[in-house]
Amino acid sequence: MALLFFGYTSCPDICPVHLGILSAAFDDLRLDGGRPDVAFVGVDTARDTPQRLRSYLDGFDPEFVGLTATPSAIDEALGQLDMPSVVIDPEGKGTDYIVGHPSQILVFTPDNLCHITYPFGTRQQAWEEDLPRLENQIWPSDR
Amino acid sequence: MNWWCSATGRNWSWEWSPYLGAWILFLLLGVSMLLAWRKDRDFPLRRKFSAVIGLIILLIATDWPLATLGAGYLVSVQMARQVLVVFIAIPLLLYGAPPVVGRWLAAGQRRRRAFATITRPLVAVIVANAILIATMSPYFADRLISSQWGSFALDIAWIVAGFIIWFPLQPPTPLTPRLVGPFAMVYLIIQSIIPLPVAFFMTWAEYPLFSVFELAPRVFDSFDAVQDQQLGAAIFQVVGGLIIWAQIAFRFLHWAVERERSDLEEFEPHEETVPA
């Protein structure tokens, strides 16, 4: 099972909260198939260097994987996943900007498909209840 | 400038941002007290000092940074605010309340009856703890804390609960306490025990109970929502408990000294019984 999240390391609210909750849930969970892989894609390509991604993710869980790419490759990947593109606001103003990015976490179940996404606001208890079900390929049809 | 604290979802900042409502409340209470004290010039200085400290603590609990942190980031700070308001600020304010307040409460028949009802120990225990437990429940806290009006209602509920708890023990002069000596001690012991299950539940909960605090931007990186919740429960149990038990100890000593004095007076030989 793998979890995919597009965020950025300078994010003041959504990314650290999402990753923190996920990390706390992983501390409690014991899944038969082992820990799910977590890939965090740094969409702020100017600041999210591989080194910065690594040290940022180490603050949550050393096993979380950091990925980055060119802006066009990231937008193409987001497009394929039916997710909105990254927005830099305001553009071209040094490092003083915020980044608009999808706030949901995509879960790829053992069949390699994403049947469910988790929006910002998903709580630790929901993760701990849902991940074992997802591992067994059970997901709610209405999400 | 916001008028009252609430959960904003914004990243925590150490930039000073006072709350208009907290300062208005502080100034209203402060000016009212000053005016009332002018009418009762022989009101003891220690009581005035107590009211000033109570007022300052109330402002600390309702203004930045404690109110901001408590309403939107850390449940431990929210619990500390509750302890400050209910167990410290309100008893100090009541001890230092100008006599005009006591006279006003005792004046009208309806007011007197309402006051007599609310100071009945059983009523006070039930009503105050119902308010405190409700404000500590995730159902109410998560809903109220997200708006300034909701957060204001929560803080006012604490103030009301504080008054209800302390009225039977130290009403404003010239009213006399309904409970003294062992009765006051038993009342305080009951008040210290009833909220414990809530704090116990907070301590041992597997998950963060309050969504507002779980989903808030983190203030300290290595301090997660469950640790914050456990610290909150500890503050409520240990600090709140210590304050109540200090009161119990003080009242016990006071009662013991009074008893000893009255016993001595009783056994003191009177002039006519002294043998020649």
Side-chain angles (χ1 to χ4, degrees), chain B residues 82-98:
Chain B
Q82 185 174 334
V83 168
L84 281 176
V85 171
V86 178
F87 297 118
I88 303 179
I90 300 302
L92 286 171
L93 282 171
L94 272 178
Y95 185 69

Side-chain angles (χ1 to χ4, degrees), chain A residues 31-47:
Chain A
L31 296 171
D32 296 337
R35 285 166 58 103
D37 295 321
V38 174
F40 176 84
V41 182
V43 299
D44 180 8
T45 51
R47 292 184 288 190

Side-chain angles (χ1 to χ4, degrees), chain A residues 12 17 21 121 123-125 128, chain B residues 11 207-211 214 216:
Chain A
V17 172
I21 289 174
R123 302 180 63 183
Q124 184 182 335
Q125 187 172 359
E128 291 192 23
Chain B
N11 210 18
Y207 307 109
L209 296 173
F210 303 91
S211 67
E214 185 181 4

